[in-house]
Amino acid sequence: MKYCKNCGVELEEDMRICPLCGAAAVSDLPAGEKHAFTPGNEATPLLQKMTKGQKTFVWEIISIILLSAIIATLLINFIINKAITWAEYPVAVCLVIFSFVSFFTFWPRRTLIQIAEGFTTSAILLLIFDSITQGTSWALKIAIPILFIASLITAALFEIIRHSKDKGINLIAYIFAGGALLCISIEGIFSLYRDNHLHLRWSVIVSLCTVLVMIVLLFTHFRLKKGRHLEKTFHI
């Protein structure tokens, strides 16, 4: 019987990578002698364990999909409106995705550095694209501020998850919190751009709903952490 060296989970005979933690190395251990999983001993992301050829192949597939989406969006917009108007926004999203995917694929550095590099490259691409289309100059006032805040939230979530002692349902709650902050930031930036003053409406409703979900998730996590089963917690 095979067991993962990293987390000790039992593996099928033909498994080369652990489906739980992503570790590539396995060992044949007798039952009852599984390695204990300790915080901080998590496997590196699956992308880092892929070969250079596999990474290149995945990058090529994603690039082709993004390029197809950009060309189709621009053509539809130009045929309908005889100009590039609303297509700026989906094209900008594709450029941002392409930047981050490229850095995470070909520049194996610390995740925080990759996020910073992805943000910088994306911001430059957004400025170039905005200047070419001669649109509403929304890159500096909308796109880059939203991208900056999203990058900060992502980096903060990564650090919180990486240093979290307990990795369970609480991680989902942290992600919900990041999503709520992003919604508030997006509406705040749009209101400042459109009305020159800050006012929050829909993002407050979204955040309140998110807080309720977070409370349930955290309550469930800490009750389970104390050894209480899920069925007993909810009286099932």
Side-chain angles (χ1 to χ4, degrees):
M1 187 65 67
K2 287 187 176 181
Y3 295 91
C4 175
K5 279 186 176 181
N6 185 57
C7 64
V9 69
E10 184 177 323
L11 305 174
E12 298 291 338
E13 291 297 330
D14 58 345
M15 285 184 176
R16 300 176 62 87
I17 296 177
C18 175
L20 179 63
C21 68
V26 296
S27 62
D28 298 317
L29 298 177
E33 295 185 15
K34 298 181 181 180
H35 287 281
F37 180 78
T38 55
N41 192 35
E42 302 86 350
T44 54
L46 181 59
L47 183 62
Q48 296 181 11
K49 293 185 174 296
M50 296 171 64
T51 64
K52 186 177 181 180
Q54 291 173 328
K55 291 181 181 179
T56 303
F57 177 74
V58 172
W59 178 83
E60 288 174 351
I61 295 298
I62 295 175
S63 299
I64 291 172
I65 294 173
L66 293 175
L67 180 61
S68 301
I70 289 173
I71 293 174
T73 304
L74 291 174
L75 284 176
I76 294 172
N77 189 193
F78 188 78
I79 291 172
I80 295 175
N81 303 105
K82 306 301 180 184
I84 303 301
T85 54
W86 55 265
E88 287 192 52
Y89 304 106
V91 171
V93 173
C94 290
L95 292 175
V96 170
I97 295 174
F98 175 78
S99 299
F100 279 93
V101 170
S102 298
F103 274 105
F104 275 87
T105 302
F106 298 111
W107 282 268
R109 296 186 176 92
R110 290 185 58 188
T111 303
L112 295 181
I113 297 177
Q114 290 175 319
I115 292 174
E117 291 172 336
F119 164 75
T120 304
T121 305
S122 300
I124 294 173
L125 290 176
L126 289 172
L127 287 172
I128 294 174
F129 181 69
D130 195 23
S131 63
I132 291 174
T133 56
Q134 298 179 352
T136 56
S137 299
W138 54 270
L140 275 175
K141 297 179 180 179
I142 299 179
I144 294 178
I146 292 177
L147 179 61
F148 177 73
I149 293 175
S151 299
L152 283 181
I153 292 174
T154 302
L157 284 174
F158 172 79
E159 286 298 302
I160 291 173
I161 292 173
R162 189 165 70 92
H163 291 95
S164 180
K165 202 170 183 181
D166 301 306
K167 292 178 169 59
I169 303 177
N170 59 323
L171 302 185
I172 303 176
Y174 302 152
I175 293 173
F176 268 98
L181 288 175
L182 182 60
C183 288
I184 292 174
S185 302
I186 290 173
E187 187 178 18
I189 291 170
F190 269 107
S191 65
L192 289 173
Y193 175 76
R194 185 182 60 239
D195 305 321
N196 291 323
H197 69 274
L198 178 66
H199 60 82
L200 303 176
R201 295 176 182 173
W202 62 265
S203 62
V204 175
I205 299 174
V206 172
S207 299
L208 289 175
C209 295
T210 302
V211 168
L212 295 177
V213 175
M214 287 172 52
I215 292 174
V216 173
L217 290 173
L218 290 175
F219 171 78
T220 304
H221 170 73
F222 287 109
R223 293 295 284 180
L224 292 176
K225 181 183 174 183
K226 292 180 180 179
R228 189 178 179 91
H229 294 292
L230 189 61
E231 293 83 359
K232 293 182 179 179
T233 301
F234 291 100
H235 304 286
I236 298 176

